[in-house]
Amino acid sequence: MEKTYILKKENLGSWLLAMAKDADVFVPAEDRENSIINFFNLSRIEPELGWGREQDKPYSLNLEEKTRLSPKQIIYPQSEDLLDFSYQKNMEQLDDVEISIAPSKTDGKQIIFGLKPCDVQGIARLDAVFAEGVVKDSYYMDRRNNTTLIARGCNTVYEDCFCTMVEGSPYNFENADIGMYELDDDYVVNVFTEKGRQLADKYGDFLKPAPNDADYYSKALDDRESQSSEKINALWEGTDYKDIPEIMNANFGAEAWKEVSKKCIGCGACTFVCPTCYCFDIRDEKDNQQGQRYRCWDFCTSYLYTLEASGHNPRAELSQRYRNKINCKYNYNYRRHGHLYCVGCGRCIDVCPVNMDIREIVGTIVKEK
């Protein structure tokens, strides 16, 4: 299913606000007071949102720069309640205790607008972890099934972008429900899925059928993809990404791991901005006879991540933990799910407090072959 529409740029805000009446719509915007670009719920910031570059508004829509956090947090929150529980004791027989459990409430319909193609691929990687196989994660599934993804192509490529090195491209709309790109004074809107079709039908007043044939828009898209892709530096020229898992295996015991991880301080910032990291911890918070079970993101470069109850830690050295992190992205999950678990967004490079660059680290290990 693919249908192409035209959305006038001046109608973008009206289109989003119309959708926000029926669902939570998340848009990329700059919080001027805190100088942070993130996804925000449109209904909450709309009174203070500038749709252009207005300087007198606390927020402004930003469709060019990447957000600080990936949209992963909208579908897979940093912390979420799994269930509430309470104990009822029989005061006449104290070992007679009943436990009541109430599952947490799920969210309603939501739309994530303005994702970069690398972020859509990040969500597809999470789908493979939480929503495929025999055991599925119902918390993730509920949220994911209620979410529609509207991606936008990348006109601007930044120094830390490297999607073309890891299976992607700046205009790869695979796994998006709708993909958009600019063409003169319009947005070209490609609808790929049933979820996308439902949105296009329901808010069709803002979308007009594309006046040209499919070849015209296919060429326009190819031209933009070529122009953006050419701006991305390739550090592993001559190495097919499909060969990297075998190279990682062959170099598992290489001394180079100690060298490349020397600067890492194990802060976990790279994990928290990564669109594909999915590890979590589960804990209980209890107050008197009531409590909550929740899960929160965890990170594998932490010493506590693999610390066993006996006191033994199979990855006691930071170099071992960092090696595991890189292998998780470039080796282990490729074997499990058929894709690298790095989508080349570059957020880990941008946020690292000691200027570590995952491209250089993988390049160093690749050169060990």
Side-chain angles (χ1 to χ4, degrees):
M1 175 190 300
E2 179 173 345
K3 293 191 70 172
T4 303
Y5 298 89
I6 295 296
L7 171 67
K8 290 290 183 185
K9 286 185 178 178
E10 63 263 29
N11 289 334
L12 174 63
S14 299
W15 185 49
L16 293 174
L17 288 172
M19 291 191 287
K21 293 178 180 176
D22 302 317
D24 285 328
V25 177
F26 293 87
V27 299
E30 180 178 357
D31 175 350
R32 292 185 186 281
E33 181 178 354
N34 296 299
S35 300
I36 291 176
I37 301 169
N38 262 330
F39 283 93
F40 294 92
N41 189 320
L42 179 58
S43 296
R44 295 179 184 170
I45 66 169
E46 190 273 331
E48 299 181 312
L49 176 68
W51 293 96
R53 304 298 294 177
E54 296 94 332
Q55 297 296 320
D56 59 340
K57 296 279 190 177
Y59 296 91
S60 63
L61 189 72
N62 191 316
L63 298 179
E64 290 297 326
E65 298 176 72
K66 70 182 73 174
T67 52
R68 172 69 63 86
L69 294 175
S70 78
K72 167 180 80 173
Q73 60 174 330
I74 300 170
I75 300 174
Y76 172 44
Q78 294 180 25
S79 176
E80 66 178 320
D81 294 338
L82 302 180
L83 55 88
D84 297 325
F85 61 86
S86 61
Y87 296 97
Q88 287 90 39
K89 279 189 177 180
N90 183 343
M91 299 308 293
E92 296 180 355
Q93 187 173 347
L94 295 180
D95 60 348
D96 181 8
V97 180
E98 289 189 3
I99 302 177
S100 299
I101 295 175
S104 64
K105 297 179 180 177
T106 57
D107 299 329
K109 296 285 184 185
Q110 54 186 14
I111 297 165
I112 309 178
F113 169 80
L115 301 95
K116 288 178 174 287
C118 56
D119 286 333
V120 178
Q121 299 313 309
I123 291 174
R125 302 294 193 272
L126 297 181
D127 289 347
V129 173
F130 292 118
E132 295 181 3
V134 177
V135 180
K136 297 178 175 59
D137 187 307
S138 60
Y139 297 92
Y140 179 88
M141 290 283 293
D142 286 346
R143 213 172 268 120
R144 181 69 179 91
N145 289 335
N146 281 325
T147 302
T148 303
L149 306 179
I150 304 178
R152 60 188 165 98
C154 297
N155 291 333
T156 304
V157 172
Y158 293 92
E159 290 182 355
D160 48 15
C161 293
F162 60 104
C163 64
T164 55
M165 297 165 64
V166 286
E167 309 179 53
S169 83
Y171 286 84
N172 175 19
F173 294 134
E174 184 181 6
N175 300 308
D177 297 299
I178 293 175
M180 298 173 53
Y181 59 93
E182 291 184 36
L183 186 64
D184 301 325
D185 294 329
D186 303 320
Y187 290 108
V188 178
V189 180
N190 290 323
V191 176
F192 300 110
T193 67
E194 177 60 22
K195 284 183 183 175
R197 185 193 64 76
Q198 291 176 6
L199 278 189
D201 288 349
K202 190 168 185 177
Y203 307 101
D205 290 346
F206 301 98
L207 303 175
K208 304 301 178 189
N212 298 299
D213 60 26
D215 290 342
Y216 175 84
Y217 295 107
S218 177
K219 183 179 183 309
L221 184 61
D222 289 344
D223 289 345
R224 276 153 184 73
E225 181 163 357
S226 176
Q227 291 169 16
S228 289
S229 295
E230 287 176 0
K231 299 173 186 174
I232 297 177
N233 294 320
L235 297 183
W236 313 325
E237 286 183 353
T239 301
D240 190 324
Y241 73 85
K242 295 176 183 174
D243 295 332
I244 294 179
E246 283 301 325
I247 296 172
M248 290 284 165
N249 262 0
N251 292 333
F252 187 81
E255 286 294 311
W257 287 111
K258 294 182 180 178
E259 189 63 31
V260 299
S261 59
K262 271 184 178 177
K263 290 200 299 183
C264 181
I265 57 175
C267 66
C270 51
T271 294
F272 281 78
V273 299
C274 177
T276 68
C277 280
Y278 53 81
C279 290
F280 60 83
D281 195 6
I282 293 180
R283 299 190 179 191
D284 289 349
E285 289 284 348
K286 186 170 172 289
D287 182 11
N288 200 5
Q289 300 303 311
Q290 297 181 330
Q292 290 180 324
R293 174 161 295 176
Y294 68 97
R295 69 176 172 188
C296 56
W297 295 355
D298 203 350
F299 62 106
C300 62
T301 51
S302 165
Y303 180 83
L304 298 177
Y305 183 85
T306 46
L307 180 63
E308 299 171 357
S310 65
H312 171 66
N313 194 331
R315 296 187 202 127
E317 302 296 326
L318 184 54
S319 62
Q320 296 172 311
R321 301 194 291 276
Y322 195 78
R323 178 180 61 191
N324 176 74
K325 176 185 174 67
I326 299 300
N327 270 277
C328 189
K329 297 193 170 302
Y330 285 87
N331 185 5
Y332 306 147
N333 272 306
Y334 185 83
R335 298 173 191 280
R336 291 183 192 126
H337 303 296
H339 294 286
L340 298 181
Y341 267 57
C342 174
V343 294
C345 71
R347 288 187 178 91
C348 60
I349 302 168
D350 181 53
V351 78
C352 181
V354 293
N355 297 319
M356 295 182 72
D357 189 326
I358 194 171
R359 297 169 298 186
E360 294 177 356
I361 289 157
V362 174
T364 298
I365 302 303
V366 165
K367 289 175 184 173
E368 291 284 311
K369 65 180 178 181

